[in-house]
Amino acid sequence: GFEVPENWRKYLLGSRHHVYFRLKNAYQHEHRGNSDNDGPHVDMLYWGGDWEYDFTRFKVNLGWRFFSLGQGIVYSDIHDGVDGELTFDWFSYKIFYSKTLPHEHNIDTSAPAFDKHYDRRFFGMELEFLKLAQHRPYAIFMRAEDQSDEVPINETSNFDYDAYYYALGTQGELFLPNLRYWTEFIWQRGQSYLSRSLDEKSIKAYAWTSGLEYYAQIYGHPVLKFEYSRGSGDEDRRSVTNTRDGNLTADDKNFLYFGHFTSGGYALNGRLSNLQVYKLGLTWKPLEAVSQQAVRNTLLEGIPDLTVGSNYYIFRKVESLGAISDERASRNLHNVGQEWDVFATLRLTSDVSWSLRW
């Protein structure tokens, strides 16, 4: 019979395939005795394949998995969808389509039936240039479409929120071999509705994040970090995520995104909406000199990699009259406050870690 040559079999079927499965259960208990159990639900379940050719590499994933674009602010979440990535000699191109999962809460908690009734679709692409030796510039586009079909409480409210995102960014090394940087600027456009109204307004929002990290080549390998981030806001909003108590009059200038802003602090944990953040951080490995041989095959195996650190934040409103994600910050001032965090992380085994954050 006819036999397909080995190299053609690899070209058609791919070189690597994998399946990933994970369950998740969330349980919340309050001191007054109230509790809420959400799950267990399938958190991640997807198949991935990898094809390699002489001129390119192609990867595809299908199912419930983690999607992300750029720095992860515009979009980064576990959703249901498909993505593909083509990598050539001088650029890589990623495209995806995804939708929210069952049991997911609507980001707009003022919408009717927001609790575990959320249907939003995402389509996006990212183009990254690979030919620059120490820099990785990239461009992003994403469309977020609201399909929740919320039933208005009355005929004078609409909660649809459809947005487009355009972003330019780059990351790499700057001036010195151990000085790393990143920057990303995001333009947001689209359509939203005024609070308690059927009047549709244009979204004209933006966000910007930049940072530097210096990796000192001395004992403990300290890392010094500085970051600045800013997200636009509305001066008449009382909520940065909801339609109700949201935009009241003119164009919607509130930056609303579907990813994660990781520099909002532990205490404030602020969204990058009507907020600007100055962050200064330092990490250090104080026990780096401990012999690896002395602690091998013990629970203290990760002692040489024990990392301690601290972050200091200054938070300010962009529009002093508007709200931020913490609604208790209700004073009409630009200054929100300052925060100082400390942390320690220790790897106990190859797949078990311990952390302390205060």
Side-chain angles (χ1 to χ4, degrees), residues 19-237:
V19 175
Y20 185 85
F21 173 73
R22 187 171 79 184
L23 284 173
K24 177 182 178 180
N25 192 89
Y27 177 76
Q28 178 177 311
H29 179 77
E30 299 179 2
H31 67 89
R32 297 175 181 175
N34 300 322
S35 63
D36 179 38
N37 188 77
D38 187 11
H41 301 305
V42 176
D43 185 42
M44 297 179 69
L45 174 59
Y46 68 93
W47 160 83
D50 199 332
W51 287 260
E52 292 188 14
Y53 304 100
D54 296 334
F55 57 93
T56 186
R57 180 180 180 183
F58 175 61
K59 296 191 295 183
V60 62
N61 296 283
L62 175 65
W64 295 11
R65 63 179 297 269
F66 182 76
F67 293 84
S68 182
L69 285 173
Q71 295 294 325
I73 295 177
V74 170
Y75 181 56
S76 55
D77 212 335
I78 298 174
H79 282 154
D80 181 15
V82 57
D83 72 277
E85 182 176 356
L86 278 170
T87 302
F88 295 91
D89 183 47
W90 59 279
F91 77 92
S92 68
Y93 176 69
K94 179 169 66 176
I95 187 170
F96 75 91
Y97 172 81
S98 64
K99 62 179 182 179
T100 50
L101 298 178
H103 312 287
E104 190 169 344
H105 298 305
N106 195 330
I107 192 173
D108 184 352
T109 60
S110 70
F114 82 93
D115 185 17
K116 303 177 185 177
H117 291 82
Y118 191 26
D119 188 3
R120 190 177 295 276
R121 312 297 169 90
F122 303 91
F123 168 77
M125 58 186 71
E126 180 175 348
L127 180 66
E128 182 179 10
F129 297 91
L130 307 176
K131 268 300 185 181
L132 298 177
Q134 296 179 328
H135 308 277
R136 286 291 185 269
Y138 59 89
I140 290 172
F141 167 77
M142 191 184 78
R143 159 78 169 168
E145 184 175 347
D146 192 352
Q147 296 286 324
S148 300
D149 294 328
E150 301 96 340
V151 178
I153 295 176
N154 51 58
E155 296 182 357
T156 61
S157 298
N158 196 311
F159 299 87
D160 286 345
Y161 189 93
D162 300 318
Y164 297 90
Y165 299 83
Y166 309 87
L168 293 175
T170 183
Q171 55 188 353
E173 290 188 345
L174 195 66
F175 306 127
L176 302 174
N178 301 312
L179 181 62
R180 299 179 185 177
Y181 79 97
W182 73 90
T183 186
E184 183 175 291
F185 194 91
I186 307 159
W187 295 267
Q188 182 188 1
R189 297 296 182 265
Q191 300 294 323
S192 66
Y193 283 86
L194 296 179
S195 177
R196 307 174 191 269
S197 174
L198 295 176
D199 291 339
E200 195 174 35
K201 291 294 183 179
S202 296
I203 301 171
K204 297 181 179 179
Y206 70 89
W208 173 37
T209 182
S210 293
L212 291 171
E213 293 181 338
Y214 181 67
Y215 293 76
Q217 301 303 302
I218 59 176
Y219 177 78
H221 287 84
V223 180
L224 181 64
K225 304 177 182 181
F226 174 77
E227 181 178 343
Y228 173 77
S229 302
R230 179 188 182 103
S232 62
D234 278 324
E235 64 179 14
D236 55 0
R237 273 184 176 265

Side-chain angles (χ1 to χ4, degrees), residues 3-14:
E3 182 177 351
V4 179
E6 181 64 29
N7 59 332
W8 280 102
R9 188 179 300 144
K10 180 179 179 181
Y11 280 6
L12 293 174
L13 301 180

